[in-house]
Amino acid sequence: LFEKLKKTYNEFQHPSFIDDSNIFTTINSNNGSIVYRSDRPVLLISSTSWTVDEDFSILLKALQLYDNICSTNLSGVRLPAILCVITGKGPQKIHYKHLLNQLELTHVTFCTPWLENEDYPKLLAAADVGVSLHSSSSGIDLPMKVVDMFG
C-alpha cells in the first residue's frame, strides 16, 4: 500500500528516493525482506466527512504542541516524526487544507488523500494511532468512524 501511495502522494516518499523504499519500509539488503525503517514516522490516521460536527482545530493544536516539544527537545529524547493522514471528502476540506498549508511544522507532515475502497482498511490496519473527532449524532454511542478503526 505504501508503495502505491508514494506514487501519488509525496508525503509517502522517503527522501532517499530509493525505488524499493518509502517513508515507512525498505528492503533488507541481506535477505530481501521488507522491514520497517528505523527513522519511520508515526502513522496517525483520521477519517472525516469534513463537516462542522468534526472540530479538526483540536487535532491541529495538539500536533502543533507536539512539533514544539520535538523542536525544543529539552529532555534529550528523540521523538518520532508524525505523518498525519486525514482521509475523506466534504465541505470543509478546502478550508482545513488551507490551514494545514499555513502551518510551519518540522516534525509533523499532513496528507489528505481520497482512498480507493480497498485501500482504506489497509491504511487503518497500518496506522499507529487513529483519531476520530466526529461527534455521535445521539451523543451516547461510538461514531461509525471509530468503529471503522477497530476493523
Side-chain angles (χ1 to χ4, degrees):
L1 175 64
F2 297 141
E3 288 299 303
K4 178 181 177 180
L5 291 173
K6 83 174 188 180
K7 293 174 184 171
T8 307
Y9 302 101
N10 292 336
E11 296 86 356
F12 286 88
Q13 292 180 0
H14 191 269
S16 67
F17 296 107
I18 299 170
D19 285 341
D20 293 331
S21 184
N22 58 63
I23 198 167
F24 297 103
T25 61
T26 191
I27 303 262
N28 181 323
S29 58
N30 294 331
N31 61 17
S33 65
I34 297 173
V35 295
Y36 280 118
R37 302 183 63 85
S38 61
D39 62 344
R40 79 177 188 93
V42 168
L43 178 57
L44 185 152
I45 304 293
S46 188
S47 177
T48 180
S49 301
W50 298 103
T51 58
V52 294
D53 57 348
E54 295 169 296
D55 184 2
F56 268 86
S57 66
I58 296 167
L59 179 60
L60 299 184
K61 288 176 189 171
L63 291 173
Q64 285 175 298
L65 287 171
Y66 182 84
D67 192 76
N68 288 339
I69 290 168
C70 289
S71 295
T72 57
N73 194 10
L74 297 176
S75 68
V77 175
R78 183 191 159 301
L79 296 172
I82 294 176
L83 174 57
C84 178
V85 178
I86 307 171
T87 67
K89 289 184 179 179
Q92 291 195 314
K93 184 172 185 173
I94 293 171
H95 166 75
Y96 277 105
K97 281 186 78 167
H98 178 71
L99 291 178
L100 296 175
N101 290 334
Q102 289 181 331
L103 295 175
E104 295 181 10
L105 306 178
T106 56
H107 301 280
V108 178
T109 306
F110 294 94
C111 184
T112 56
W114 176 251
L115 299 172
E116 295 176 22
N117 286 340
E118 65 271 10
D119 292 338
Y120 177 67
K122 292 175 187 174
L123 191 63
L124 286 179
D128 297 298
V129 178
V131 175
S132 175
L133 298 168
H134 188 83
S135 299
S136 159
S137 57
S138 68
I140 58 172
D141 59 340
L142 284 175
M144 285 309 297
K145 287 175 180 56
V146 172
V147 175
D148 283 353
M149 291 182 191
F150 286 112

